[in-house]
Amino acid sequence: MSAVLEVRGARYALPQGRVLVEDVSFGVAPGETLVLLGRSGSGKTTALKLINRLLEPTAGEIRIAGRPTHALEATRLRRGIGYVIQEIGLFPHFTVERNVGLVPRLEGWPAERIAARVRELLALVGLDPGVFGARYPHELSGGQRQRVGVARALAADPPLLLLDEPFGALDPITRVELQREFLALQRRLRKAIVFVTHDVREGLLLGNAIGLMQEGRIVFLGTPEEFRRSEHPACRAFLAAAG
Amino acid sequence: MNLLQFYAHNSREALTLIGQHLFLVAVSTGIALTVGVPGGILLTRRPAWRGPVLGIANVLQTIPSLALFGFLIPLPFIGGIGARTAIVALVVYALLPIVRNTYTGIAGVDPAVREAGRGMGMTDGQLLAMVELPLAAGVILAGIRVATVVSVGTATLAGAIGAGGLGVYIFRGADMVNNTLILAGAVPAALMALAADGLLGLAERRLAWRAG
C-alpha cells in the first residue's frame, strides 16, 4: 500500500546553526503506526513538528498523499492532519462540543453536520455526548480530557495523525486503558500515525514500526520484533531500562 | 453654607463641570483604548518592541501629572490652553495600564492552548479572536479599569489649564480656603471613580475566565 506520509532526508537547524534533526527519512502507510522513540532532546518532537510545519524543514522533502507539504498553505495543511500533544491544549473557554468541532468549524461545515460529527466522535472515544458535550475541560478528568483531545484530532477525518506523548501525563492505570483503546481505535480507523514517546514499552505495544532517535538522527528503524533483537547499543540501552 | 445648599444654588454650573469631567474621561479613555489594545496585541507579535515600548510608557507614567499638563501647554498642535491638552495628558496616563495588561493577558495564555490551535490550522487572526482575546479579556478589562479610575482623578487637574471639569471647584476652593467648594469638586469626582471601579469590576468578574 502506498505511503500516506513520506519523509525524505529531513533536516532542521536553528538560525544560529545548531542542528536538531538531521537526515531523517521514513514512510507511514494507512493502518500503520510509526513510533518515534527517543530520550528527551533526541529530536523526536522536532521531527514531528516538521511534518505539520509548526517548524519549517531546512532541507529534505516531506510528502503527504504524494504532495509536498510546502506546496500547501500551512494552515490548510494542518487542518488535514490530526495533532495531539501531551498537554492536550483544549480551549478552556469552549465546551467539549465546541472543542471537538473546531476544525470542521474552521473548514466551514454546516452546523448540523458538525453537531452530528461531534456526537459520533465522542461516542467513538467512549464519552457519552449527552453527558460530556456541554461540559468545560476543567470539569473533566485527565483521561477524559485526552479522549476529547483525540476526538478533536479526528474531527475532520484526516488520513494522518501526529501524536506527541499523548498519554505521558496520565496516571499509569488510565494510561494502560487509553493505550488499549488506542489499539482498538486504530484497528477500526486504519489511519497513518506517527506517535512520539520516550516509553519503550508503550512504543513496542502500539507501534508497527519503531524509529529510534538519537541526537537528531534515526539510528534504528524496524519492526518491534527487530527492535527487540537488535544489537544496536541504543536499542539495548532502551530495552535494559524497560527491564 | 453646606454642600447641598451649594449645589442647590449652583446646579447649572455644577452639572456643566460634571459633564466636562465625564467628557474628558470618556474621550481620553476611548482614545487610549483604541490605541492601547491594538498596541498591546502588536507587542505580543513583535517581542523585540516590548522592552522599549513598555519602558517609554513607564517613564511617561512617572512624570508628575501637574508637571505634564504644564509641559504640554507651550507645545504646538497638542498643547495650548483647554480640553485638547488635558485629553492628551490623560491619554498618556491611560495608555500604560491598557497596553501592559493587553500584552500580559495574551502572553499569559497557556502555550499548549496556542500550540494546539496552531497545530489544528488556525490562522493568527483566528487564534487571536477565538482564543487569545477571550482568554485575556479579564486581564485587559482590569487594565481598562485602572486607567479609567486614574483618569477620573487626574482629570481634576484639567481645571488648572482651563479645560474645566470638577477641578475648577477644587482649585477655586483651595485659593479661597473654602472647604465646601473643595468638597463640591472632590465628592462627585470620588463618586465617579467609585462608580467606574464598581461597574468595570463587575464586567471584569463576568469576563475573567475561571481556568480549571
Side-chain angles (χ1 to χ4, degrees):
Chain A
M1 206 180 291
S2 72
V4 173
L5 171 69
E6 291 166 87
V7 178
R8 293 284 161 262
R11 178 178 207 267
Y12 181 74
L14 295 174
Q16 302 94 311
R18 227 181 103 212
V19 179
L20 299 186
V21 166
E22 181 80 282
D23 196 22
V24 161
S25 300
F26 56 80
V28 188
E32 195 180 12
T33 303
L34 173 86
V35 168
L36 286 180
L37 183 69
R39 302 170 63 159
S40 314
S42 59
K44 54 194 194 300
T45 293
T46 309
L48 195 73
K49 287 181 176 173
L50 296 179
I51 298 169
N52 65 1
R53 287 177 57 197
L54 283 176
L55 297 171
E56 294 286 349
T58 33
E61 190 168 64
I62 300 176
R63 287 169 173 269
I64 292 174
R67 291 184 71 184
T69 52
H70 57 79
L72 269 173
E73 216 181 316
T75 51
R76 286 222 56 83
L77 172 81
R78 291 176 196 145
R79 286 178 205 174
I81 304 174
Y83 185 52
V84 182
I85 55 178
Q86 180 178 337
E87 307 85 357
I88 317 174
L90 294 181
F91 296 168
H93 58 311
F94 278 20
T95 59
V96 165
E97 278 168 356
R98 286 187 73 200
N99 266 292
V100 174
L102 182 78
V103 176
R105 194 168 142 210
L106 296 178
E107 291 284 84
W109 292 19
E112 321 82 70
R113 191 173 157 213
I114 297 177
R117 179 67 180 155
V118 167
R119 279 194 297 276
E120 180 190 345
L121 283 163
L122 286 177
L124 186 71
V125 297
L127 296 173
D128 181 344
V131 175
F132 291 98
R135 289 200 190 169
Y136 285 92
H138 70 95
E139 298 170 314
L140 305 178
S141 71
Q144 289 165 346
R145 261 181 263 189
Q146 198 49 283
R147 285 188 174 92
V148 175
V150 171
R152 180 171 71 172
L154 290 169
D157 203 20
L160 173 65
L161 291 180
L162 309 177
L163 298 102
D164 192 355
E165 308 212 17
F167 310 138
L170 302 174
D171 67 79
I173 295 170
T174 310
R175 187 184 315 156
V176 169
E177 246 174 58
L178 272 134
Q179 286 169 346
R180 216 175 285 144
E181 286 173 28
F182 172 87
L183 282 172
L185 209 58
Q186 172 63 341
R187 269 194 295 275
R188 277 178 67 181
L189 301 177
R190 308 213 30 95
K191 302 291 185 186
I193 295 176
V194 183
F195 191 112
V196 162
T197 183
H198 57 239
D199 179 345
V200 65
R201 285 190 210 193
E202 182 171 75
L204 291 170
L205 177 68
L206 303 182
N208 314 106
I210 307 280
L212 182 63
M213 288 197 69
Q214 205 173 34
E215 289 168 6
R217 292 170 180 273
I218 292 188
V219 294
F220 168 91
L221 185 61
T223 64
E225 204 35 55
E226 288 163 346
F227 182 87
R228 282 198 187 87
R229 288 196 315 254
S230 168
E231 293 301 319
H232 195 289
C235 297
R236 303 304 327 161
F238 258 98
L239 287 165
Chain B
M1 190 159 63
N2 71 29
L3 196 56
L4 291 177
Q5 286 167 326
F6 175 84
Y7 283 134
H9 287 114
N10 303 278
S11 57
R12 280 192 55 180
E13 187 191 34
L15 286 175
T16 306
L17 293 180
I18 289 172
Q20 286 173 340
H21 206 94
L22 285 172
F23 173 79
L24 291 173
V25 172
V27 171
S28 61
T29 308
I31 293 172
L33 255 168
T34 342
V35 179
V37 173
I41 292 170
L42 196 65
L43 292 191
T44 64
R45 268 56 188 168
R46 302 266 184 283
W49 296 4
R50 192 187 73 215
V53 170
L54 290 181
I56 292 169
N58 259 319
V59 169
L60 288 175
Q61 199 82 355
T62 62
I63 303 173
S65 30
L66 199 49
L68 183 62
F69 280 87
F71 286 140
L72 288 173
I73 288 175
L75 295 184
F77 305 116
I78 58 168
I81 297 288
R84 195 178 46 195
T85 311
I87 286 169
V88 170
L90 291 174
V91 168
V92 166
Y93 284 112
L95 269 177
L96 176 68
I98 293 175
V99 172
R100 192 182 44 203
N101 278 38
T102 303
Y103 172 79
T104 313
I106 292 176
V109 170
D110 183 354
V113 167
R114 197 175 284 124
E115 192 194 322
R118 295 217 307 131
M120 283 185 297
M122 297 177 97
T123 62
D124 191 56
Q126 287 168 334
L127 198 62
L128 185 68
M130 292 168 73
V131 180
E132 292 177 310
L133 284 177
L135 289 176
V139 180
I140 296 174
L141 212 64
I144 295 170
R145 178 159 71 123
V146 170
T148 310
V149 171
V150 168
S151 273
V152 171
T154 310
T156 53
L157 297 176
I161 58 164
L166 290 162
V168 170
Y169 279 158
I170 298 176
F171 283 111
R172 201 186 292 162
D175 286 341
M176 296 162 63
V177 201
N178 179 338
N179 282 340
T180 306
L181 210 44
I182 294 179
L183 285 175
V187 170
L191 291 178
M192 228 180 259
L194 284 173
D197 191 53
L199 286 176
L200 290 168
L202 207 67
E204 191 185 316
R205 273 189 295 284
R206 292 196 60 149
L207 273 177
W209 186 254
R210 55 208 195 284

